[in-house]
Amino acid sequence: MRSLGIRLAAAGLVLALVAGCSSADAVPPEPPVVVVAPSEVSAVVATDAPEAPAFSTIDTEGRQVDLADLWATGPVVLVFFATWCSVCVNRQSEFSNLAERYGQVAKVVGILGQEKVPEVQTYLADHAPGFPVILDEQLKIWRDYAVAEPPFVALISKDGHLVKGWPGGAEASEVQAELDQLLSL
Amino acid sequence: MLVTRASGKPALGHGASPRLRRSWTTAVAVAALALGAVSCSADEAAPATSPMLLLIKDKSLRVPDSECSGVIPLNYLHNGADYRVKDSSGKVLGTGKLPPGKAIPALDVDFGKAARIPTFCSMSFQLPVGTVGDGLSLLIEDAAPIALKVATDPAGFTASIPDNDDAASIPLGDLGGGR
């Protein structure tokens, strides 16, 4: 009886140590199902909204990004973010899914501010945004859109009207609701 | 009776002697304790630190308690930014990275139901300096040094940017530890 008690105590001690000093194995979440928006939709032009500042630059892949070309075909979502901003990181996959959902009818563009190049490379490798990312080192685009700190999201209608800005960021679902209105979905 | 292949002695089943079982369980308990000591001792060996409050007085419109960084031109004050602590002779006493900031009201004004109000961005963290004393400065990235003020309750340091007047009047304990 005494030996059983000692054995139980030893087993309990081992369990307690294991529980106290290691994290439980996390079950990886299942990837969300992205519903792609129809490719044939009519985009609303928000003529009552102010004109959005245009820019033309290259993204982190060296591709030309001309904002006026993008809004000529449909709405554009600008996501101002930073590699060190945990709110931005937590919402990255949401906006990647948003870009995939509206791939043919609306565009998402990510805009980083002053960053260290290795950290940008690591971030892009880790998160694979799935949309063009611009490195705005001089903060010109940030200032044009009055971005004080990340995250900040701006929604531009077809033909370049600034419909809405979310200082402090937005859930992708909020942006999606606005986009659906602009696309009459 | 189950017999171990190598020794020919009884295994630790019902046939083993009570004395042998006790020895085995004692060995397990000692090993488990040793394992625990090894795996859990890292925290105990942490270097000495002192609480630090960095108050970024940028009066930006934010949701109180939301995560923040300094706004332009103080945007170099952000989560993960490298800092160094130097003494008056220029010797580096420690290095670290800033934590995320937390938005706190900048004005003692009731803004009603406004979601975003004027705020400062406060950063509370542990400075890698064990002894609280005068003459220390904080260097963040490539910016100019910030003189640290000594706080007494609890013992630690405060600093504010752009000037260094208000932070010392905010008790470190009011803002809690780093986020």
Side-chain angles (χ1 to χ4, degrees):
Chain A
M1 193 66 183
R2 188 181 161 201
S3 66
L4 177 65
I6 294 171
R7 215 177 332 179
L8 285 173
L13 185 59
V14 170
L15 282 174
L17 287 166
V18 169
C21 298
S22 67
S23 58
D25 290 338
V27 178
E30 291 192 13
V33 177
V34 178
V35 178
V36 178
S39 57
E40 296 295 327
V41 294
S42 59
V44 174
V45 177
T47 50
D48 54 341
E51 290 185 7
F55 60 79
S56 182
T57 185
I58 57 168
D59 71 4
T60 53
E61 301 286 326
R63 297 169 300 200
Q64 189 70 31
V65 177
D66 190 321
L67 188 56
D69 285 349
L70 297 180
W71 72 42
T73 58
V76 180
V77 178
L78 301 181
V79 181
F80 294 86
F81 71 110
T83 59
W84 42 261
C85 159
S86 57
V87 176
C88 312
V89 173
N90 291 340
R91 290 179 178 162
Q92 177 60 66
S93 62
E94 292 179 27
F95 282 94
S96 295
N97 291 340
L98 194 79
E100 188 178 351
R101 174 183 170 85
Y102 294 98
Q104 299 301 313
V105 293
K107 300 295 181 189
V108 178
V109 178
I111 306 174
L112 289 164
Q114 291 169 328
E115 295 272 356
K116 293 171 181 168
V117 171
E119 289 170 8
V120 173
Q121 291 169 330
T122 301
Y123 184 94
L124 296 177
D126 289 348
H127 298 281
F131 49 76
V133 173
I134 291 164
L135 191 53
D136 183 25
E137 288 176 289
Q138 301 302 315
L139 299 175
K140 181 178 185 314
I141 305 171
W142 280 47
R143 291 179 203 274
D144 283 350
Y145 281 84
V147 179
E149 64 184 306
F152 185 102
V153 177
L155 176 61
I156 302 170
S157 75
K158 185 176 188 295
D159 290 351
H161 294 270
L162 186 56
V163 175
K164 189 158 185 170
W166 286 271
E171 305 272 354
S173 56
E174 295 174 69
V175 181
Q176 182 177 325
E178 297 284 341
L179 265 175
D180 285 349
Q181 284 189 26
L182 286 178
L183 294 167
S184 305
L185 290 174
Chain B
M1 180 187 297
L2 185 64
V3 177
T4 57
R5 193 185 305 170
S7 66
K9 293 178 181 176
L12 296 172
H14 293 291
S17 72
R19 187 174 176 181
L20 187 58
R21 279 203 297 267
R22 274 199 299 276
S23 303
W24 180 82
T25 48
T26 304
V28 168
V30 170
L33 280 172
L35 178 70
V38 169
S39 61
C40 295
S41 62
D43 292 342
E44 295 164 11
T49 61
S50 300
M52 166 78 206
L53 167 67
L54 177 63
L55 189 63
I56 305 166
K57 297 165 59 182
D58 51 12
K59 283 188 182 169
S60 186
L61 292 175
R62 304 181 178 99
V63 176
D65 294 335
S66 62
E67 182 180 312
C68 59
S69 57
V71 302
I72 299 171
L74 300 175
N75 54 319
Y76 63 94
L77 300 165
H78 61 72
N79 178 29
D82 294 316
Y83 72 75
R84 291 162 287 154
V85 187
K86 285 188 175 182
D87 66 13
S88 55
S89 72
K91 181 185 173 188
V92 175
L93 303 179
T95 63
K97 290 183 181 295
L98 294 181
K102 177 181 175 182
I104 61 170
L107 305 169
D108 187 16
V109 174
D110 182 2
F111 288 95
K113 294 180 180 176
R116 296 160 55 78
I117 65 170
T119 61
F120 292 151
C121 185
S122 78
M123 293 180 173
S124 298
F125 54 103
Q126 292 294 315
L127 207 65
V129 174
T131 307
V132 177
D134 290 321
L136 303 190
S137 57
L138 188 65
L139 291 90
I140 302 170
E141 299 288 352
D142 299 324
I146 304 161
L148 298 183
K149 289 195 169 186
V150 171
T152 53
D153 187 22
F157 298 97
T158 63
S160 71
I161 301 174
D163 60 64
N164 213 354
D165 295 333
D166 294 349
S169 64
I170 299 176
L172 287 169
D174 283 1
L175 297 171
R179 292 175 45 167

